[in-house]
Each structure stands twice: as structure tokens, then as C-alpha cells.
């Protein structure tokens, strides 16, 4: 898949999503350089948010979605897919 600037986008898998969030957290913790600036930057509040997202994913995988969450996800995906198709015309 190619992005708007013709770069090749990685395949969307659960693993790439988790690793992307983990990489972001590492940058936000100042453990690795920011790929855009090449500098170490600390943003612990952003790192905490990334960690919270991973924690929420773990909880939902372990315990499942509520019916309300499942319906919300289904409805949001439907709307976004329809808008994506319409935008391509």
C-alpha cells in the first residue's frame, strides 16, 4: 500500500500496530531518537498515553468488547469505509 507521498506503507497487522505503539512510546520516553528530528526527546505524558492504549488492547483481547463497544466499532468502520469509497470517486 502506498501513502500520499508514494512511500510504501507497511501491511496492517496486529503485530505492526503493537510494535508501532511500542516504538512511539520508546521515542516519547527518550530511549531512542525521534526519527523526524534525530534527537532524544522526553514526553512522558505521551508515553503514558501509548502505554495506556496498549494496556486497553490487552484488556479487550483478554476480556472482549462489550456489546456497545462492538456496535460502536462496527458503525465507525462502516461510516469510514463508505467515506473512503466516496472519496475515491
Amino acid at each position: 500500500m502506498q501513502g500520499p507521498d508514494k512511500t510504501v506503507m507497511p501491511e496492517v497487522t496486529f503485530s505492526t500496530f503493537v510494535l508501532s505503539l511500542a516504538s512511539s512510546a520508546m521515542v516519547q520516553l527518550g530511549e531512542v531518537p525521534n526519527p523526524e528530528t534525530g534527537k532524544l526527546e522526553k514526553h512522558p505524558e505521551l508515553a503514558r498515553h501509548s502505554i495506556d492504549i496498549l494496556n486497553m488492547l490487552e484488556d479487550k483481547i483478554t476480556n472482549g468488547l462489550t456489546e456497545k463497544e462492538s456496535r460502536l466499532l462496527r458503525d465507525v468502520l462502516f461510516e469510514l469505509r463508505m467515506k473512503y469509497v466516496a472519496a475515491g470517486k
Side-chain angles (χ1 to χ4, degrees):
M1 171 190 269
Q2 286 189 348
D5 60 357
K6 304 295 184 214
T7 58
V8 176
M9 303 291 289
E11 179 184 4
V12 178
T13 66
F14 183 77
S15 295
T16 59
F17 182 59
V18 167
L19 291 173
S20 174
L21 287 170
S23 294
S24 293
M26 292 295 281
V27 170
Q28 295 154 350
L29 289 168
E31 294 292 317
V32 296
N34 181 325
E36 293 179 12
T37 65
K39 298 178 182 176
L40 291 177
E41 303 169 5
K42 288 190 178 187
H43 301 283
E45 68 288 347
L46 294 176
R48 181 68 207 174
H49 187 71
S50 295
I51 293 165
D52 287 346
I53 291 170
L54 286 165
N55 187 62
M56 180 270 307
L57 283 172
E58 180 184 37
D59 176 61
K60 291 303 170 182
I61 290 165
T62 302
N63 299 313
L65 297 173
T66 65
E67 179 56 38
K68 187 176 180 179
E69 291 167 334
S70 182
R71 189 175 337 115
L72 172 66
L73 182 57
R74 190 172 45 247
D75 292 348
V76 165
L77 280 170
F78 177 80
E79 182 176 346
L80 290 171
R81 286 173 177 144
M82 292 301 105
K83 292 192 179 296
Y84 177 80
V85 169
K89 293 181 181 180

